[in-house]
Amino acid sequence: MPGELGVLISRGDDELIERRADDAAPLGSVFKLFVLLATAEAVRSSELTWDETLVLTDADRSLPSGRLQDQPTGTDVSVRDAAQEMIAISDNTATDLLIRRLGRERVETAFASVGGEGNAPWLTTKDFFTLGWGDSALSTQWHDADEVERRRLLDGIDAAPLSVDAATVTHPAWNNGVDWFATPATVAAVHRALLDTGDETVRAILSKNRGIGADLDRTLLPYLGFKGGSAPGVLAASWSGETAEGERVTVVIQLRGDDPAVITAAQREVFGLGADALRLAARDPGQR
């Protein structure tokens, strides 16, 4: 594989394969798993409901992926639908609506609860695009600021409409510290925490997009959740499945490099590796 690769493959409590599993790497949209966990915890504590209505404003619009950014100002979307769009089609605007409702501090708390370190203050996707490909002076301020000043800068970004053109999002920003960073072990932990909520809405949302083709034998993993992520120079994929006997299988792959074209070209290999790992890990040990 090109670039720097981190991998963790586990079944139950057993780590079957690990490579740099404790090295933090950029996540791209895999960070949305932590937003989903923060949402589930807010629902569990009765501070939020899945049916609560969120309202789209001009300041909420981010860049694709997604479709909510193209909807009229004032469009209503439920927390449930926003979370589903966030995971199933990686809708960035839906993600930012959820972060605005939760508060970035709650997402930071959810991240820390599964062993995550750093990422404070937590970025919205609009923050990500603005700092990575927007005003270079603002990016310099961000780089030199302490956490208090960074929070002030992000509040200013969040209050104004996004002014970044999608056509400019071509060069890596992760190597300048603009992304969300976590280890494969932490990504595996958030998958476990999401399934441990016992919330059927969470399970349904996480499994809307399986991330692989229909060629994976469904009898091996009757349940399979997925979240992937990408950005220039970043490619990540993560799965959490359950065998028919209820044993957990987790696969996390994180790839990053300085050449976006090379990393993008590895997508088929990464997802093929993920599918093979799921097949092997789901089998009984004597059949591998």
Side-chain angles (χ1 to χ4, degrees), residues 52-53 117 123 125 127 142 153 193 236:
E52 181 177 321
T53 298
E117 297 180 355
L123 301 180
T125 70
D127 298 333
W142 168 266
L153 288 172

Side-chain angles (χ1 to χ4, degrees), residues 37-99:
L37 180 61
T39 303
E41 290 177 344
V43 170
R44 182 168 53 188
S45 64
S46 300
E47 298 173 56
L48 188 65
T49 69
W50 291 114
D51 294 323
E52 181 177 321
T53 298
L54 307 174
V55 181
L56 177 67
T57 71
D58 288 338
D60 293 316
R61 297 182 197 280
S62 187
L63 293 177
S65 55
R67 52 194 173 205
L68 187 58
Q69 75 278 351
D70 298 323
Q71 298 305 305
T73 299
T75 294
D76 291 344
V77 57
S78 70
V79 168
R80 177 186 289 101
D81 288 344
Q84 181 168 297
E85 296 288 276
M86 175 178 70
I87 300 299
I89 64 169
S90 211
D91 194 303
N92 288 328
T93 298
T95 304
D96 288 0
L97 277 174
L98 288 169
I99 295 174

